[in-house]
Amino acid sequence: MFFIDTIEVPGLGNRGYLAGGAHTAVVIDPPRDVDRVIAAAARRGVRVAHVCETHVHNDYVSGGLQLARLTGAAYLVPAGARVAFRRVAVDDGDRVELEAGLALRALATPGHTPHHTAYVLEEAGDARAAFTGGSLLIGTVGRPDLVEPRLTGELARAQYTSAHRLAAELPDETAVLPTHGFGSFCSSAPTDGGPTTIGKERGGNEALVKDIETFLAGLAAGLDDVPAYYTHMSPLNAAGPAPVDLTAPPLADADEIAGRLAAGEWAVDLRDRAAFAEGHVAGSFNFEADGQLATYLAWLLPWGRPVTLLAASAHQLADAQRELVRVGIDRPAAAAIGSPVDWVRRGEHLRSFPHARFADLTVADRDVVVLDVRRDSERATGHIVDSLHLPVHQLRDRLGEIPPGTVWVHCAGGMRAAIAASLADAAGREVVAVDDEFAAAREAGLAVTAARA
C-alpha cells in the first residue's frame, strides 16, 4: 500500500506532496518552510529518503535543498537544470526504488521549463499517480513564458507535446497531482482544485482536446502579466536557498516606525482591510495576512526594500513571516503587534478612508475617479464605463496618472482594491475603497461594458 499527502501552499496557489509506503517516503516540490513537511513525515512514521524537484521554480523559493540536508535524503533535480549545488541529476526514464514494490519513474515533460520532469509513482509496476509539477495541470497546463521570452513559442509547443505524452503513456485511472494551478500565476488559465485523473484530463484538458494551433493561439491569448518577483526566484533556487529563519523580528516602537517610513522603508499593515480603513499609520500599506499576501507584497515591493510588519497579534505576524519566506522576503526589518494607536507618536493622528459598496458609487459626486485595479484579462470581461484602468501591480509607479478628485478604487472582490487604496492614501490622495464583488456593479445600476468576444 502507498499513501500520498498534500502539502498545501494556498497563498501561492501551489501544492507539494509527501508520498511513500510503510517506512519510506519521497517529497515532491516542497515549500521553503520545510518544518511542515518534516512534521507530516513524522505523523506518518516514515523516513524521507528522496526529495524531488519537477523543475527549478520561477514562483517560489524551494525548500528542497534544505529538506534534503536536514533529512539526509537524496536530492533529485532534472539533469538539464543548471544549479550550483550537488544533487542527483535525473534523466528521462530514471527509476528510484522507494521500498519493496514501490518506485518513482522520471518522465521528461519540457514546456513549463526546458528541463521540466514529471514523476510517476508506480506500485508493483503499475502507475498510480503522476506528479506533474507545472506540466499537465487541472484543465490546462503551466505557463511557457516564464523562462525566457524568446523561448515562449518553442516551450508552448513542447508543453503541448508533453501533455500528450502523459496522456498516451499513463492509464486513465492515474491520479494527476500538479504543483501549480490553484491560484498560482504559473498556470496558463484558471483551474480548480481537483481531484483529477489522466482519463478526466484526456476528456477536458485544453491541451488534450484542441489541435495544436488552436491550443497555441488560446494559450498565447491567455497569458497575463508575470509577477515582478519571479525574476528573482529561479536564480535563488539555482544558487541554493539559504536555511529559513522564522524567529520573531525585533519589535519597533512608534518612533522607530516613523523613522523607518521617513527613510523610505515599507511599513506593511497585515490587518483586515476594514480595520485598516478605519485607522492606520500614515504612509503604511495594507496587505491582508489572510489574502494573497506573499504574491502581492513581493510583486509590489521594490526588491530588497526593508519591511516592517504591523500585526494585530503574534500569531498573525508568525503566519505572515512563514508566507513571506516562501517568496524570498526572509527577515522583516522590524515588527509591531497590537493596535495602530500604539504605532504612532504622541500628538500624531491615524489616517482613515471610507469603505463602500458599488451601490454607494451610484450616488457619489460626479467628479470622482473610478479606478479599476484588476488585470487586463479581467477588465476584458467587462468594466465600468469611463473608469480608469491601472492594474494594482503597476500602480506604485503610475500614481501620477490618476486625475484629480476622490478616487474610488475597485477590483473583483475587495482585497486588491484595499492594497491600491492604501498606496494612493499614502501618496496623499482622497480615496474610497470599494469592498464588493464586481458583479454588484451592474446590479447597482452602474454602466458596465460587455465582455469582449
Side-chain angles (χ1 to χ4, degrees), residues 319-361:
D319 284 350
Q321 283 184 257
R322 183 175 289 274
E323 286 280 332
L324 294 178
V325 296
R326 296 169 180 161
V327 292
I329 303 176
D330 282 14
R331 291 295 298 161
I337 299 170
S339 167
V341 296
D342 302 317
W343 304 337
V344 292
R345 294 175 293 193
R346 182 173 298 178
E348 293 181 343
H349 300 287
L350 297 174
R351 292 272 300 181
S352 64
F353 53 77
H355 249 208
R357 315 291 279 183
F358 279 111
D360 300 316
L361 184 53

Side-chain angles (χ1 to χ4, degrees), residues 378-393:
E378 295 173 286
R379 186 169 172 87
T381 66
H383 63 269
I384 296 172
V385 174
D386 295 329
S387 60
L388 174 66
H389 181 223
L390 296 174
V392 68
H393 58 273

Side-chain angles (χ1 to χ4, degrees), residues 110-114 144-148 151-160:
H112 188 50
T113 67
D145 62 327
L146 301 180
V147 176
E148 161 59 57
L151 295 178
T152 297
E154 175 186 335
L155 290 177
R157 288 182 178 275
Q159 192 72 298
Y160 183 87

Side-chain angles (χ1 to χ4, degrees), residues 36-54:
R36 300 174 61 219
V37 183
I38 292 171
R43 286 192 294 270
R44 284 283 185 179
V46 293
R47 178 179 65 89
V48 175
H50 301 86
V51 177
C52 302
E53 302 284 8
T54 56

Side-chain angles (χ1 to χ4, degrees), residues 137-189:
L137 309 186
I138 302 175
T140 186
V141 294
R143 295 177 67 149
D145 62 327
L146 301 180
V147 176
E148 161 59 57
R150 291 173 296 182
L151 295 178
T152 297
E154 175 186 335
L155 290 177
R157 288 182 178 275
Q159 192 72 298
Y160 183 87
T161 300
S162 292
H164 280 262
R165 181 185 182 189
L166 287 164
E169 294 189 14
L170 298 177
D172 279 356
E173 62 272 17
T174 308
V176 175
L177 301 172
T179 300
H180 304 311
F182 316 98
S184 168
F185 282 88
C186 278
S187 176
S188 62

Side-chain angles (χ1 to χ4, degrees), residues 26 48 73 96 134 236 256 260 315 323 385 398:
V26 59
V48 175
V96 172
L236 281 172
E256 182 177 349
R260 289 186 175 278
H315 179 74
E323 286 280 332
V385 174
R398 300 180 65 185

